[in-house]
Amino acid sequence: MSQHAKRTYSSPLREEAARRTRATVVDAAARLFVDRGYVSTTVKQIAETAGVAVRTVFTAFPGGKSELFREALDAAVAGGSADSAGDDPAPAERSRPGRVASGPAGSDAERIVEQVVRYGADLLERAGGLLMTSVESSGADPDMRRFADEDARATADNARTIAVGLHRHGLLRDDVSVDHAAHVLYTLGSPQVHALLRRDCGWDVDEYRAWLTATLRATLLR
């Protein structure tokens, strides 16, 4: 076998091994960040949990914990494996509940709310733990403050998009302004409320979805 043939054969194997290692490290980091918090988690603990050397972690993620958190969050938001995390859009471009906000003309209010709740709940089921990690660690770490602020801005922007869409289609109650609707959507669809009900109160996801749907309907819609 020629040297060229050996390289052609072995390179894909090495690339696949590198992807698997990267995914394993990201998954380990995500679990530790959620379970122990960002500040308390060390790269050494991540390496041990992933079953790799510390040097391997830094080779794959030169940015250390901050880069690992970004990779883990992007993978969770995208809903795929950690292998595809690097292909995810920037925070402001992530798929969020507000992407269905304005809807096509003729969409009824209940269908829009159901779509918003479904997309939002699915996102928070995947990424809510990491988003709460950034919120809870934001006072102790500047990177976590940045992540928390980015998500808050994205959530607020999408909430306003939803509110504007409902208003344009004449679906908001007469006594509910766009600003008020945006604030309600921002608050009730937040990772904080999701964590309170799902984690602290022990609600199952169907109970959470049903409550959020009913509350948004009663609070905002005609």
Side-chain angles (χ1 to χ4, degrees):
M1 182 179 295
S2 69
Q3 190 64 29
H4 173 74
K6 289 180 180 178
R7 285 197 299 269
T8 302
Y9 174 75
S10 62
S11 180
L13 294 180
R14 288 197 300 270
E15 290 173 359
E16 177 61 22
R19 280 194 296 269
R20 289 179 181 273
T21 297
R22 187 180 184 89
T24 299
V25 171
V26 171
D27 290 343
R31 291 196 303 272
L32 290 172
F33 289 148
V34 171
D35 292 343
R36 302 184 182 184
Y38 181 83
V39 176
S40 298
T41 298
T42 66
V43 173
K44 182 180 179 181
Q45 290 169 341
I46 294 170
E48 290 174 348
T49 302
V52 300
V54 171
R55 179 182 296 181
T56 300
V57 176
F58 280 113
T59 298
F61 303 96
K65 285 204 305 180
S66 177
E67 184 179 356
L68 272 167
F69 186 88
R70 167 68 72 197
E71 292 278 344
L73 181 58
D74 285 349
V77 168
S81 68
D83 293 295
S84 60
D87 298 327
D88 194 57
E93 299 173 341
R94 291 176 183 142
S95 175
R96 300 285 298 180
R99 296 306 179 196
V100 299
S102 56
S107 292
D108 62 74
E110 291 192 357
R111 190 192 316 166
I112 292 175
V113 169
E114 287 171 358
Q115 289 177 330
V116 168
V117 170
R118 184 174 68 252
Y119 283 109
D122 288 350
L123 175 70
L124 290 172
E125 287 297 305
R126 298 191 307 268
L130 287 167
L131 291 172
M132 283 305 298
T133 294
S134 69
V135 170
E136 293 166 348
S137 302
S138 61
D141 186 273
D143 288 322
M144 290 297 98
R145 166 63 67 182
R146 177 166 53 86
F147 286 127
D149 288 347
E150 285 175 354
D151 184 70
R153 285 194 297 270
T155 302
D157 288 346
N158 285 307
R160 177 159 292 277
T161 303
I162 296 167
V164 169
L166 291 170
H167 173 71
R168 285 177 178 170
H169 292 301
L171 302 175
L172 290 179
R173 284 170 24 191
D174 291 338
D175 61 335
V176 175
S177 67
V178 170
D179 282 345
H180 182 84
H183 297 160
V184 168
L185 288 159
Y186 171 75
T187 300
L188 296 186
S190 67
Q192 290 92 331
V193 170
H194 177 265
L196 282 171
L197 295 177
R198 291 281 287 118
R199 181 183 68 187
D200 298 349
C201 297
W203 286 19
D204 64 36
V205 66
D206 290 333
E207 189 175 8
Y208 167 77
R209 288 195 187 102
W211 168 83
L212 184 55
T213 301
T215 303
L216 290 176
R217 284 174 177 168
T219 306
L220 301 180
L221 304 185
R222 290 182 181 278

